């Protein structure tokens, strides 16, 4: 455990890494290669680069990189704001055109025969059963799940749990905390890290002055 933690820490601070993905069309920037290497060793983490730095391709490349190492990461689910569904589909087609990528268009149709399925947050409650038990999950703009009591947060957590303890779960956001540190807690819960802080209320007590007079 100590060695893995050390490797994860070093990877999180790197500015480049040796990451070879033969199926990639194009070239990753050095910091993107470092992001892929970090996410691959961490498996459950935030990719929290600022807007415009290519978090989408880093997440896609991470799953493709793990697949090349023999990991079962497909079929994978991408959950994102509804207005980004087609962007995700286009980005995956641009960088990894060999992958079968489908979108969930509405609340009455669900695709079949895909390796990656992309769905908006507004539809995950409707399709929670169909979206369960996939090999990997990516939650884009994960601050959409900052409120523990919100329906989409509950469904996101349920989907992540359905994948098993070793499945990759990636949270993408340029603003992991939009207002208060408490907003981290629900997101940490989705990636299965909140117990390291004593649970949600342990996190609130430690970082949010909960119960302090």
């Amino acid at each position: 455990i100590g060695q893995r933690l050390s490797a994860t820490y070093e990877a999180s601070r790197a500015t480049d890494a040796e990451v070879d993905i033969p199926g990639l069309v194009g070239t990753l920037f050095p910091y993107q290669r470092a992001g892929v290497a970090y996410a691959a060793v961490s498996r459950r983490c935030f990719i929290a680069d600022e807007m415009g730095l290519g978090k989408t391709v880093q997440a896609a490349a991470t799953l493709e990189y793990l697949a090349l190492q023999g990991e079962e990461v497909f079929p994978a689910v991408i959950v994102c704001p509804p207005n980004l569904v087609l962007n995700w589909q286009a980005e995956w087609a641009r960088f990894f055109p060999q992958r079968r990528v489908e979108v969930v268009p509405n609340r009455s149709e669900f695709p079949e025969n895909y390796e990656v399925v992309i769905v908006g947050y507004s539809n995950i409650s409707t399709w929670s059963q169909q979206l369960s038990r996939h090999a990997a999950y990516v939650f884009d703009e994960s601050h959409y799940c900052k409120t523990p009591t919100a329906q989409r947060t509950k469904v996101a957590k349920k989907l992540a749990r359905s994948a098993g303890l070793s499945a990759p779960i990636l949270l993408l956001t340029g603003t992991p905390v939009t207002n208060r540190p408490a907003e981290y807690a629900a997101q940490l819960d989705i990636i299965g890290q909140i117990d390291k802080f004593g649970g949600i209320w342990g996190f609130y007590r430690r970082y949010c002055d909960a119960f302090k007079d």
Side-chain angles (χ1 to χ4, degrees), residues 57-69:
V57 68
Q58 286 184 64
T62 297
L63 297 189
E64 297 286 353
Y65 181 62
L66 288 171
L68 287 168
Q69 295 179 324

Side-chain angles (χ1 to χ4, degrees), residues 56-139:
T56 300
V57 68
Q58 286 184 64
T62 297
L63 297 189
E64 297 286 353
Y65 181 62
L66 288 171
L68 287 168
Q69 295 179 324
E71 299 264 3
E72 293 187 8
V73 296
F74 298 109
V77 173
I78 311 298
V79 184
C80 63
N83 64 316
L84 295 180
V85 168
L86 295 181
N87 179 71
W88 264 95
Q89 185 182 36
E91 287 289 281
W92 214 300
R94 173 187 173 190
F95 291 103
F96 300 101
Q98 74 280 10
R99 194 65 64 188
R100 295 196 310 276
V101 180
E102 299 288 347
V103 303
V104 178
N106 49 48
R107 296 182 181 179
S108 60
E109 302 173 78
F110 194 87
E112 298 180 358
N113 301 321
Y114 57 81
E115 293 174 293
V116 178
V117 63
I118 305 167
V119 59
Y121 280 105
S122 56
N123 288 330
I124 60 174
S125 295
T126 300
W127 298 111
S128 61
Q129 183 175 351
Q130 289 81 356
L131 294 167
S132 294
R133 296 180 295 279
H134 283 59
Y137 289 86
V138 176
F139 296 92

Side-chain angles (χ1 to χ4, degrees), residues 2-208:
Q3 289 181 338
R4 181 175 179 181
L5 181 61
S6 178
T8 303
Y9 176 74
E10 291 301 321
S12 73
R13 295 174 60 84
T15 56
D16 197 356
E18 294 184 10
V19 173
D20 183 27
I21 310 175
L24 171 66
V25 176
T27 305
L28 297 175
F29 290 109
Y31 72 87
Q32 291 175 327
R33 291 194 295 266
V36 170
Y38 164 68
V41 70
S42 178
R43 303 184 66 83
R44 298 190 170 202
C45 65
F46 286 91
I47 298 179
D49 293 335
E50 294 181 8
M51 184 182 299
L53 294 183
K55 294 186 289 294
T56 300
V57 68
Q58 286 184 64
T62 297
L63 297 189
E64 297 286 353
Y65 181 62
L66 288 171
L68 287 168
Q69 295 179 324
E71 299 264 3
E72 293 187 8
V73 296
F74 298 109
V77 173
I78 311 298
V79 184
C80 63
N83 64 316
L84 295 180
V85 168
L86 295 181
N87 179 71
W88 264 95
Q89 185 182 36
E91 287 289 281
W92 214 300
R94 173 187 173 190
F95 291 103
F96 300 101
Q98 74 280 10
R99 194 65 64 188
R100 295 196 310 276
V101 180
E102 299 288 347
V103 303
V104 178
N106 49 48
R107 296 182 181 179
S108 60
E109 302 173 78
F110 194 87
E112 298 180 358
N113 301 321
Y114 57 81
E115 293 174 293
V116 178
V117 63
I118 305 167
V119 59
Y121 280 105
S122 56
N123 288 330
I124 60 174
S125 295
T126 300
W127 298 111
S128 61
Q129 183 175 351
Q130 289 81 356
L131 294 167
S132 294
R133 296 180 295 279
H134 283 59
Y137 289 86
V138 176
F139 296 92
D140 191 16
E141 304 293 353
S142 63
H143 54 273
Y144 273 51
C145 298
K146 66 184 181 181
T147 305
T149 55
Q151 180 66 16
R152 63 187 172 201
T153 304
K154 293 178 180 179
V155 175
K157 178 180 174 181
K158 180 181 177 181
L159 294 179
R161 294 290 187 275
S162 76
L165 296 176
S166 62
I169 310 290
L170 305 179
L171 303 187
L172 279 55
T173 175
T175 53
V177 174
T178 56
N179 292 301
R180 299 168 289 132
E183 295 170 1
Y184 262 127
Q187 297 174 75
L188 287 167
D189 198 10
I190 291 171
I191 56 175
Q193 300 289 348
I194 195 65
D195 288 346
K196 295 179 180 178
F197 299 89
I200 283 184
W201 287 105
F203 184 93
Y204 290 163
R205 283 191 293 269
R206 182 173 180 179
Y207 296 105
C208 311

